[in-house]
């Protein structure tokens, strides 16, 4: 008599649980101080909050939205502020660990030389571009100055070997080290319309353009379609009044 064979389905691996978010050395404001003094679950559920992240110079770098539900807090040993505040897990979007070297570099302030991102791989270049974009987005329009029409820009194309590298090089060509000037064709088009350092018409000397042509002209979209990002960006620049010379 044949034995009974049962299929055993493996249990799916549990989703990784993010560690709780802890803010150390925090000086609470009046609302938080009042919530901590009450100590009830309702009082400690602060709702949606925005955590603003600044560099060592005190300048806004980026921010993160989170559901601020206090799990624990510890006063300093002498009972005087600041305190350490812990939020319950699962109520915020953690920053990937691989981004750490990029953030640590930017905590010291924006780079003072071009191509500080050049040695990074594509993933870290993408994180660098995200930081550049978020920092630019936090600056008020009144703090941004457009150069007058007719300005001559120059792009260092030696390291334009991928998508983030292209937009990082464009950003630095227009706005200097750590500068932003678009992170995709649509964003580039927006930047060409003003308030991002540029006024049409202008000229751009793109040095070592063959590097970008070789890496970005024969790529594929996620759907497998041909994608010539190099040609597309040239078209967007031309439509925005930027006359490009390839060198």
């Amino acid at each position: 008599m044949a034995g009974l064979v049962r299929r055993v389905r493996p249990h799916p691996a549990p989703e990784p649980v993010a560690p709780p978010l802890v803010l150390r050395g925090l000086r609470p404001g009046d609302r938080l101080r009042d919530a901590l003094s009450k100590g009830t679950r309702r009082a400690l559920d602060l709702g949606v909050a925005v955590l603003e992240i600044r560099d060592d110079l005190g300048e806004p770098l980026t921010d993160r939205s989170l559901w601020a539900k206090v799990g624990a807090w510890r006063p300093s040993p002498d009972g005087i502020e600041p305190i350490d505040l812990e939020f319950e897990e699962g109520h915020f979007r953690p920053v990937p660990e691989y981004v750490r070297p990029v953030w640590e570099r930017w905590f010291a302030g924006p780079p003072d030389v071009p191509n500080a991102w050049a040695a990074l791989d594509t993933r870290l270049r993408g994180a660098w571009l995200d930081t550049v974009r978020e920092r630019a987005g936090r600056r008020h329009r009144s703090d941004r100055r457009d150069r007058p029409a007719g300005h001559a820009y120059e792009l260092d194309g030696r390291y334009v070997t991928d998508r983030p590298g292209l937009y990082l090089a464009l950003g630095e060509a227009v706005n200097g080290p750590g500068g932003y000037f678009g992170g995709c064709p649509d964003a580039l088009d927006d930047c060409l319309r003003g308030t991002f350092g540029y006024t049409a018409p202008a000229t751009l000397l793109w040095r070592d353009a063959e590097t970008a042509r070789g890496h970005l002209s024969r790529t594929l979209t996620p759907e497998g379609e041909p994608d010539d990002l190099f040609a597309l960006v040239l078209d967007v620049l031309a439509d925005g009044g930027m006359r490009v010379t390839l060198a």
Side-chain angles (χ1 to χ4, degrees), residues 55-57 61 99-117 120 128 131 172 177-178:
D55 63 25
D56 294 343
L57 305 176
L61 181 60
V99 177
R100 179 185 291 273
V102 173
W103 276 33
E104 288 181 344
R105 170 59 190 83
W106 275 88
F107 280 142
D112 54 6
V113 295
N115 300 320
W117 48 269
L120 302 178
W128 187 286
T131 305
E172 295 194 338

Side-chain angles (χ1 to χ4, degrees), residues 167 170 180-196 198 200 232-242:
Y167 295 109
L170 274 171
Y180 173 75
F181 202 68
C184 66
D186 287 342
L188 174 59
D189 182 67
D190 288 341
C191 291
L192 288 163
R193 299 177 185 275
T195 74
F196 281 93
Y198 166 81
L232 175 58
V233 165
L234 289 177
D235 288 342
V236 173
L237 291 171
D239 290 343
M242 182 84 84

Side-chain angles (χ1 to χ4, degrees), residues 19-80:
L21 174 64
V22 180
L23 303 182
R24 303 190 186 280
L26 179 70
R27 296 187 181 277
D30 292 340
R31 181 188 172 195
L32 178 57
R33 190 180 294 108
D34 181 60
L36 296 178
S37 65
K38 291 179 180 177
T40 64
R41 291 187 62 84
R42 182 174 182 179
L44 295 178
D45 189 347
L46 305 179
V48 178
V50 176
L51 176 64
E52 184 178 76
I53 301 168
R54 294 175 175 263
D55 63 25
D56 294 343
L57 305 176
E59 294 296 321
L61 181 60
T62 183
D63 59 41
R64 289 295 183 273
S65 297
L66 67 150
W67 189 271
K69 193 171 184 178
V70 177
W73 64 281
R74 294 173 289 279
S76 60
D78 56 10
I80 304 174

Side-chain angles (χ1 to χ4, degrees), residues 89-245:
E89 61 187 33
H91 292 277
F92 68 98
R93 179 170 57 89
V95 178
E97 176 66 24
Y98 74 83
V99 177
R100 179 185 291 273
V102 173
W103 276 33
E104 288 181 344
R105 170 59 190 83
W106 275 88
F107 280 142
D112 54 6
V113 295
N115 300 320
W117 48 269
L120 302 178
D121 61 24
T122 296
R123 185 169 69 164
L124 285 177
R125 286 183 178 189
W128 187 286
L129 180 59
D130 288 341
T131 305
V132 168
R133 178 174 53 243
E134 292 171 13
R135 179 175 177 272
R138 294 192 58 78
R139 300 183 64 187
H140 195 272
R141 284 179 177 267
S142 62
D143 296 332
R144 301 196 293 253
R145 297 288 185 269
D146 292 340
R147 291 185 178 85
H151 189 81
Y153 302 93
E154 186 170 324
L155 187 151
D156 182 355
R158 290 175 296 168
Y159 309 107
V160 182
T161 57
D162 49 26
R163 288 174 179 268
L166 169 62
Y167 295 109
L168 290 171
L170 274 171
E172 295 194 338
V174 176
N175 290 310
Y180 173 75
F181 202 68
C184 66
D186 287 342
L188 174 59
D189 182 67
D190 288 341
C191 291
L192 288 163
R193 299 177 185 275
T195 74
F196 281 93
Y198 166 81
T199 302
T203 62
L204 174 70
L205 176 60
W206 189 328
R207 296 191 180 278
D208 294 286
E210 285 304 312
T211 300
R213 189 194 301 274
H215 285 86
L216 301 175
S217 294
R218 295 181 293 275
T219 59
L220 298 176
T221 67
E223 295 75 28
E225 298 294 327
D227 181 25
D228 191 341
L229 181 60
F230 180 71
L232 175 58
V233 165
L234 289 177
D235 288 342
V236 173
L237 291 171
D239 290 343
M242 182 84 84
R243 182 166 60 85
V244 180
T245 299

